[in-house]
Amino acid sequence: MDMELITIPETAEMDRQASNAESSAAQLEIVTHDDYVAAGAQWKALGALAKEIKETFEPIRKKLEGAKKEVIKQRDRHLLPVDEAKRAIKAKMISYDAEQERLRKAEQERLQLEAKKKAEDEAIRTAEAAEAAGEADMAEAIIEAPSKPPAVTLPKGTPAIEGFRTQTRWDFEITDEKLIPRQYLVVDHVGIRKVVMAMKDDTNIPGIRAFSKTV
């Protein structure tokens, strides 16, 4: 798509009127019927000014919006396959890492049990030596004392990849809506508004007060 040159139109007069509009409205006082009529005329004039501003900038907005959509379309045409490939590779890396972590924990547990058995065997040999030396009480104390082998901790197995990050995210699924506490239920504002707009003063929804306001 060829990008058209976007030209900003001359808006000096609109700028002047727009900058005066807010201060003029702030200073306006309505104390008589004539003031009220004059205010109405000013309000209509501002409506015409607002329409002129919108009509002046709408073609520019449309061009920019079209250009933006085309840029995003072309960007995504190239980017989406790359993102999809990255997601596929990351999923496989996470799967591999999870399997390596499972193996690491299994090996760590095996080594921990091995260390525990080694400590227990050592305690038995020490108790037997004490028993042979006539230290029956010491031998009994050694046997009854819990063996505490040093904790075995194996390092993470997979190599670190610069820039590669993962995070754990918790999610949920609803198993029984009837059991969900009320504090987690969301009020249906859209549905309530439809009823209020249709029923007006006759709205009869517990916990809801329908009212009107003039804008």
Side-chain angles (χ1 to χ4, degrees):
M1 175 182 176
D2 295 331
M3 297 300 179
E4 299 181 37
L5 182 63
I6 297 175
T7 304
I8 303 298
E10 176 58 46
T11 59
E13 180 57 24
M14 281 194 301
D15 291 342
R16 185 189 66 78
Q17 295 182 58
S19 62
N20 292 336
E22 194 169 12
S23 60
S24 177
Q27 296 170 10
L28 177 67
E29 293 184 1
I30 301 177
V31 294
T32 68
H33 286 353
D34 290 342
D35 293 339
Y36 184 83
V37 172
Q42 185 174 345
W43 180 83
K44 290 177 65 177
L46 290 175
L49 177 59
K51 181 180 179 182
E52 181 185 355
I53 293 172
K54 291 177 182 177
E55 290 176 348
T56 298
F57 288 95
E58 182 61 14
I60 300 174
R61 187 198 66 79
K62 286 183 177 180
K63 287 183 180 179
L64 288 174
E65 187 67 24
K68 177 182 176 182
K69 288 181 179 179
E70 183 63 22
V71 168
I72 293 175
K73 178 181 176 182
Q74 294 300 325
R75 180 201 67 185
D76 289 348
R77 185 171 68 85
H78 296 83
L79 186 60
L80 291 179
V82 175
D83 286 343
E84 186 61 33
K86 285 182 64 180
R87 280 191 290 270
I89 292 174
K90 186 173 184 178
K92 292 179 180 181
M93 292 175 70
I94 290 174
S95 178
Y96 176 83
D97 184 67
E99 175 62 15
Q100 294 305 304
E101 180 66 9
R102 185 190 69 79
L103 294 174
R104 185 190 71 82
K105 288 182 177 180
E107 178 64 8
Q108 183 172 284
E109 183 178 355
R110 185 188 70 80
L111 292 175
Q112 189 68 59
L113 291 175
E114 187 177 277
K116 184 174 183 296
K117 185 177 186 305
K118 183 177 179 181
E120 290 173 347
D121 292 344
E122 181 64 28
I124 291 174
R125 285 195 295 271
T126 303
E128 289 175 345
E131 182 75 26
E135 299 289 344
D137 291 341
M138 180 181 293
E140 184 178 353
I142 292 172
I143 293 298
E144 292 180 353
S147 58
K148 293 182 179 180
V152 177
T153 302
L154 295 180
K156 181 177 173 63
T158 51
I161 305 297
E162 183 179 358
F164 184 78
R165 300 287 185 274
T166 62
Q167 55 182 320
T168 301
R169 292 181 178 176
W170 286 87
D171 206 342
F172 68 92
E173 63 179 357
I174 297 174
T175 57
D176 191 336
E177 291 186 1
K178 298 188 295 295
L179 299 179
I180 300 176
R182 188 178 187 281
Q183 69 192 83
Y184 299 110
L185 302 180
V186 179
V187 176
D188 184 3
H189 288 268
V190 174
I192 293 173
R193 191 174 305 280
K194 288 180 179 179
V195 173
V196 171
M197 292 177 66
M199 302 300 296
K200 301 179 176 62
D201 287 339
D202 295 327
T203 300
N204 184 21
I205 303 176
I208 299 296
R209 178 182 69 87
F211 62 92
S212 62
K213 56 183 178 180
T214 301
V215 296

